[in-house]
């Protein structure tokens, strides 16, 4: 896909689909395919897997490749596909990004390495080496709350200037001044996606390309509609959806993502709410908050809720 074409196509609500597990902890492949089909039927514009919501650090490299394979096969070209291919390990990131290209992903989302806290020059060298190894479009995933380091705008600008296939960034950064400066310095056509749920609407207002929101796992139709309303010029509807989704956004981050999301999907009868250690289910109090929010928003009814 030519990069200008990719910039036109890779827009909207991209759901970072969770990785469902069986009760024994294996990847639940059948349920995974069902979740992707539900996302597409609900209007999601794209699918990502093995990002933060997909518990990538709890998966082996072979499992991450298997999840990518299953997603690509299930999507079957109906929407665009941008798997997460980043890791704390440079060689693993290279391997997974090359694999995404091999299977024909539309883009690869590469996270700022977590835990090891590289400096800005090391970040530049890491991303440039990965980008130079493929022709597939690259979306930087900047999430300082998880990685403990922020990719500075100056570093991102260098990468965009030196790597034509780096076409966008998922900004899970609460600093709205920072994200404004990303577009100013990287170009107004640079694809800016919100990874902070409460900034999905505001980022559209400054020229964002969409969002990669964990909330879409639970309420895909309304998250996609928020983008569609804005794109159609219906600002009032987009604003209304922004505030309507706020209680759900809040409760789904009462504990570490994707724990509350998996609880919600379990209550909805979509998955077995299982996580791999070291992650676990949230407290009973938070689970009750999730249930109440789902009931208040009519995502669940007392008759359909799974206990």
């Amino acid at each position: 896909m030519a990069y200008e074409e990719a910039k036109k196509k890779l827009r909207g609500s991209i759901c970072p689909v969770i990785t469902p597990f069986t009760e024994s902890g294996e990847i639940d492949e059948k349920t995974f395919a069902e979740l992707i089909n539900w996302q597409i039927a609900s209007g999601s514009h794209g699918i990502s897997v093995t990002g933060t919501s997909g518990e990538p650090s709890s998966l082996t490299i072979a499992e991450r490749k298997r999840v990518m394979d299953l997603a690509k096969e299930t999507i079957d070209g109906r929407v665009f596909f941008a798997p997460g291919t980043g890791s704390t390990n440079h060689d693993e990131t290279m391997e997974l990004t090359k694999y995404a290209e091999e299977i024909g992903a539309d883009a690869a989302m590469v996270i700022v390495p977590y835990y090891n806290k590289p400096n800005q020059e090391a970040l530049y060298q890491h991303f440039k080496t990965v980008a130079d190894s493929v022709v597939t479009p690259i979306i930087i995933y900047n999430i300082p709350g998880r990685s403990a380091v922020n990719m500075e705008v100056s570093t991102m600008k260098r990468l965009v200037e030196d790597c034509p296939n780096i076409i966008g960034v998922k900004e899970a950064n609460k600093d709205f001044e920072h994200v404004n400066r990303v577009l100013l310095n990287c170009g107004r056509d640079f694809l800016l996606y919100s990874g902070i749920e409460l900034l999905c609407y505001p980022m559209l207002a400054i020229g964002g390309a969409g969002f990669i929101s964990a909330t879409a796992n639970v309420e895909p139709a309304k998250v996609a509609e928020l983008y569609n309303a804005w794109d159609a010029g219906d600002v009032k509807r987009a604003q209304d959806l922004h505030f309507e989704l706020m209680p759900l956004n809040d409760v789904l981050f009462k504990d570490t993502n994707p724990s509350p999301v998996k609880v919600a999907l379990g209550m909805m009868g979509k998955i077995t709410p299982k996580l791999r250690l070291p992650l676990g289910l949230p407290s009973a109090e938070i689970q009750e908050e999730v249930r109440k929010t789902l009931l208040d928003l009519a995502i669940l009814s007392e008759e359909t809720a799974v206990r």
Side-chain angles (χ1 to χ4, degrees), residues 48-51 56 61 64 68 82-101 105 107-111 126 130 138-139 141:
S48 185
V49 297
T50 63
I61 296 298
R64 289 184 68 167
M68 281 194 261
T85 61
S87 166
T88 60
N89 182 289
H90 178 73
D91 289 341
E92 287 180 2
T93 301
M94 294 278 285
E95 180 180 347
L96 289 166
T97 304
K98 289 177 179 178
Y99 191 74
E101 177 166 273
M109 186 172 66
V110 182
I111 194 168
H126 170 68
V130 172
I138 300 292
I139 298 167
Y141 182 10

Side-chain angles (χ1 to χ4, degrees), residues 270-290:
K270 297 286 186 184
I271 67 167
T272 298
K274 175 77 175 180
L275 295 99
R276 284 182 176 174
L277 293 171
L279 292 179
L281 295 175
S283 68
E285 291 77 14
I286 291 176
Q287 292 191 43
E288 187 53 38
E289 285 187 63
V290 170

Side-chain angles (χ1 to χ4, degrees), residues 68-131:
M68 281 194 261
D69 286 339
L70 288 167
K72 183 68 167 58
E73 177 184 322
T74 305
I75 294 166
D76 194 27
R78 291 177 289 170
V79 297
F80 62 84
F81 177 44
T85 61
S87 166
T88 60
N89 182 289
H90 178 73
D91 289 341
E92 287 180 2
T93 301
M94 294 278 285
E95 180 180 347
L96 289 166
T97 304
K98 289 177 179 178
Y99 191 74
E101 177 166 273
E102 181 183 323
I103 65 173
D106 296 297
M109 186 172 66
V110 182
I111 194 168
V112 169
Y114 40 95
Y115 177 73
N116 39 28
K117 295 179 68 175
N119 63 37
Q120 294 300 306
E121 179 61 26
L123 272 182
Y124 171 83
Q125 294 297 338
H126 170 68
F127 274 90
K128 186 175 189 306
T129 305
V130 172

Side-chain angles (χ1 to χ4, degrees), residues 27-197:
I27 295 171
D28 188 340
E29 296 189 0
K30 179 176 180 292
T31 297
F32 182 64
E34 290 171 351
L35 288 174
I36 290 175
N37 283 325
W38 176 54
Q39 285 293 326
I40 296 171
S42 299
S44 291
H45 305 96
I47 298 292
S48 185
V49 297
T50 63
T52 303
S53 299
E55 297 174 69
S57 58
S58 297
L59 302 173
T60 66
I61 296 298
E63 286 177 324
R64 289 184 68 167
K65 289 180 177 179
R66 178 60 181 156
V67 168
M68 281 194 261
D69 286 339
L70 288 167
K72 183 68 167 58
E73 177 184 322
T74 305
I75 294 166
D76 194 27
R78 291 177 289 170
V79 297
F80 62 84
F81 177 44
T85 61
S87 166
T88 60
N89 182 289
H90 178 73
D91 289 341
E92 287 180 2
T93 301
M94 294 278 285
E95 180 180 347
L96 289 166
T97 304
K98 289 177 179 178
Y99 191 74
E101 177 166 273
E102 181 183 323
I103 65 173
D106 296 297
M109 186 172 66
V110 182
I111 194 168
V112 169
Y114 40 95
Y115 177 73
N116 39 28
K117 295 179 68 175
N119 63 37
Q120 294 300 306
E121 179 61 26
L123 272 182
Y124 171 83
Q125 294 297 338
H126 170 68
F127 274 90
K128 186 175 189 306
T129 305
V130 172
D132 286 350
S133 73
V134 295
V135 298
T136 295
I138 300 292
I139 298 167
I140 296 166
Y141 182 10
N142 190 30
I143 179 168
R146 291 263 192 169
S147 61
V149 63
N150 179 52
M151 181 181 283
E152 295 175 4
V153 172
S154 58
T155 304
M156 203 174 298
K157 181 181 180 182
R158 283 180 69 196
L159 286 165
V160 171
E161 289 173 346
D162 295 345
C163 306
N165 59 330
I166 294 182
I167 65 167
V169 60
K170 174 184 178 182
E171 279 287 0
N173 190 327
K174 294 182 179 180
D175 184 347
F176 202 57
E177 289 188 16
H178 167 92
V179 298
N180 276 271
R181 296 188 188 283
V182 166
L183 287 183
L184 177 67
N185 286 273
C186 295
R188 299 276 292 278
D189 64 338
F190 191 58
L191 300 181
L192 173 67
Y193 305 98
S194 178
I196 297 290
E197 276 60 27

